[in-house]
Amino acid sequence: GWQKRWLNSEYKADLGKFKLAAGKFYGDPVRDKGLQTSENSKFYAISSRFKPFSNKGKTLVIQYTVKHEQKIDCGGGYVKIFSSNLDQKNLSGDSHYYIMFGPDICGSETKKVHVILNYKNKPHPIKKLIRCKVDGYTHLYTLIIRPDQSYEVKIDNKMVASGNLEDDLDFLPPRKINDPTVRKPTDWDDQIQIDDPNDMKPEDWDEPEYIMDTSAEKPEDWDNAANGEWHYPMVKNPLYRGEWKPRQIDNPNYRGVWPHPQIDNPNYSPDLNIYSYENISIIGLDIWQVRAGTIFDNFLITDDEVYAEDFGDETWGEMKGPEKEMNIKQTEEEQERERVTEEKYFEQRFKKKLESKKESGKDRAARNTIEKEEL
C-alpha cells in the first residue's frame, strides 16, 4: 500500500523511480523493506501527506532510517517537512519547506548532517558541522526541537549535537553589537610581533635575481638582421636570497586585542516562536543521487522523545545486528568465490603449460627420429 500513501512528483519527466526493497543485506526481509532509489544519476522527488498539525507548545521529533548500502559517493539522504499547501505533483528543489534534516554526502569533503530550518521564508542552516555515517549500514537519524528553543540531533539513538536554535542558527540579529561611538585608542598596540631594530641587513645581501650566463656562446648561425644583436642569456643567480626582511621579535608594548565595548543591538527583538510551525502536513524526499541504492524507512513524526527512542530501538535497534551479520557472511562468501575462481584460473593455466611442454617434447622426439633415419 505504500504507493497509495506516497505520491511521485511530476515536475520533471525523467525523475528517478523508487521501489520497495530490503536491499542486498538486511536484518529481516520484510521488516527492512523501505523506499529504495533504483536509477543512477537521477533526481528523486516523492512525498506523503498526513493530517495537519502545529508543534506550537510541543516538542517536535523527526526520525527515520537511511541505508547507503551502495556506499554512496555523491547524493542526498535527507528528508524535508512541508506545510499542507505544498503541490505534491510539482515537488522540486524550489519547493518551500519548513525543515530539512538528514545526511548529505558528496566526495571526500561533504559528509554532513543537514539541519536547516525555515524562518520568515528564508532557510537557515546550522552553523555546527555534524558528521554522518558512511559505512553502508542502516542508521537512525533523529531531530528533536523543543518549545524552549533547544534542539538535539541523534544518530543511532546517541546525541551528536545539541544547543539553542537562536545561538546555532542565524535567525535573528545579534543581541549585542560594538558601540559605534567608541574608537580604539590611538596608542593601543595590538601587534604581537615587530621587526627587530637591532637586526641589520648584511652588506653582501643584495644580489640580482638574474645574471648573464657568460659561459654561453653565440650560435654560429645567428643572424643579426633576422634576430637582432646577440646577448648573453640571463640565468637564475645562485647567490640571490630574495628580499631582505628583519627578523621578528615579541612586541614589548603589545597590549592584546582591544575589547570593543558592546551595547544592546537596537535591531534585535527576541522571538520565542522560532521553533514553531503551523499546518505541518507532508514529509518528502527531494534528493539527487549519482549512484542509486539508498533505502529510506521507519519514518516517524511525534511529540514524544521517549516513544521515538523506543521506536528506534524496536526497528533499527533490533535489525542492526542481523543486518551486519548477513553483510559479513555475504562478504566472506564472495571472497571465497573469488578465491576458488582464482585457483581454477591458475590451475587451468598450469595444465595448459604442462600440455604445451608435453606437445613440444613429442615434436622434438619425432624430429630426432626423422633426422636419424635420414642420416
Side-chain angles (χ1 to χ4, degrees), residues 21-23 32-36 65-67 69 293-297:
D32 278 350
K33 283 185 178 179
L35 302 184
Q36 184 179 43
T65 57
V66 57
K67 176 172 72 166
E69 74 170 18
T294 300
I295 299 175
F296 300 86
D297 197 9

Side-chain angles (χ1 to χ4, degrees), residues 215-252:
S215 64
E217 296 182 358
K218 179 180 177 180
E220 294 180 359
D221 59 348
W222 185 272
D223 187 345
N224 286 345
N227 303 319
E229 184 181 355
W230 184 82
H231 298 281
Y232 286 113
M234 302 298 287
V235 295
K236 192 80 173 180
N237 184 359
L239 301 178
Y240 176 71
R241 290 185 283 178
E243 180 185 356
W244 182 83
K245 294 180 180 180
R247 65 170 172 263
Q248 297 288 292
I249 60 172
D250 292 338
N251 182 3

Side-chain angles (χ1 to χ4, degrees), residues 114-128:
H114 284 295
V115 178
I116 304 176
L117 273 61
N118 193 291
Y119 179 71
K120 295 185 176 179
N121 295 321
K122 183 180 178 182
H124 294 267
I126 193 170
K127 292 182 283 187
K128 292 180 178 178

Side-chain angles (χ1 to χ4, degrees), residues 72-296:
I72 191 169
D73 50 359
C74 188
Y78 45 80
V79 298
K80 292 181 178 179
I81 304 298
F82 303 90
S83 70
S84 59
N85 59 10
L86 173 72
D87 181 0
Q88 290 178 264
K89 286 189 176 182
N90 287 304
L91 170 62
S92 72
D94 296 327
S95 298
H96 175 88
Y97 62 86
Y98 281 156
I99 298 170
M100 175 173 154
F101 168 64
D104 191 13
I105 298 170
C106 195
S108 59
E109 295 183 0
T110 303
K111 291 183 174 73
K112 64 181 180 180
V113 177
H114 284 295
V115 178
I116 304 176
L117 273 61
N118 193 291
Y119 179 71
K120 295 185 176 179
N121 295 321
K122 183 180 178 182
H124 294 267
I126 193 170
K127 292 182 283 187
K128 292 180 178 178
L129 176 61
I130 307 173
R131 300 285 290 182
C132 63
K133 301 290 186 178
V134 293
D135 57 13
Y137 292 114
T138 300
H139 290 285
L140 181 72
Y141 287 86
T142 308
L143 173 63
I144 303 170
I145 299 175
R146 304 183 182 97
D148 64 359
Q149 315 240 77
S150 67
Y151 73 90
E152 189 173 320
V153 176
K154 298 164 72 176
I155 300 179
D156 297 344
N157 266 342
K158 294 182 179 178
M159 191 265 290
V160 294
S162 63
N164 182 275
L165 294 177
E166 186 176 339
D167 294 335
D168 294 346
L169 295 90
D170 291 326
F171 293 112
L172 306 175
R175 296 183 180 90
K176 297 281 187 178
I177 59 172
N178 293 337
D179 188 343
T181 64
V182 181
R183 296 287 182 268
K184 183 172 69 174
T186 55
D187 62 346
W188 189 280
D189 195 340
D190 57 7
Q191 192 170 348
I192 299 175
Q193 290 193 316
I194 59 172
D195 294 342
D196 184 352
N198 298 318
D199 188 21
M200 306 300 292
K201 182 171 69 172
E203 293 181 358
D204 62 347
W205 184 276
D206 290 328
E207 287 282 349
E209 185 175 359
Y210 292 92
I211 57 174
M212 286 191 299
D213 182 7
T214 55
S215 64
E217 296 182 358
K218 179 180 177 180
E220 294 180 359
D221 59 348
W222 185 272
D223 187 345
N224 286 345
N227 303 319
E229 184 181 355
W230 184 82
H231 298 281
Y232 286 113
M234 302 298 287
V235 295
K236 192 80 173 180
N237 184 359
L239 301 178
Y240 176 71
R241 290 185 283 178
E243 180 185 356
W244 182 83
K245 294 180 180 180
R247 65 170 172 263
Q248 297 288 292
I249 60 172
D250 292 338
N251 182 3
N253 299 318
Y254 175 67
R255 298 174 63 184
V257 179
W258 180 65
H260 200 134
Q262 301 269 296
I263 61 171
D264 292 334
N265 185 355
N267 296 320
Y268 171 77
S269 178
D271 186 348
L272 301 180
N273 293 305
I274 291 174
Y275 75 97
S276 176
Y277 296 98
E278 297 295 327
N279 294 316
I280 299 171
S281 186
I282 295 169
I283 186 170
L285 300 169
D286 169 40
I287 56 176
W288 158 263
Q289 290 203 335
V290 173
R291 194 188 311 172
T294 300
I295 299 175
F296 300 86

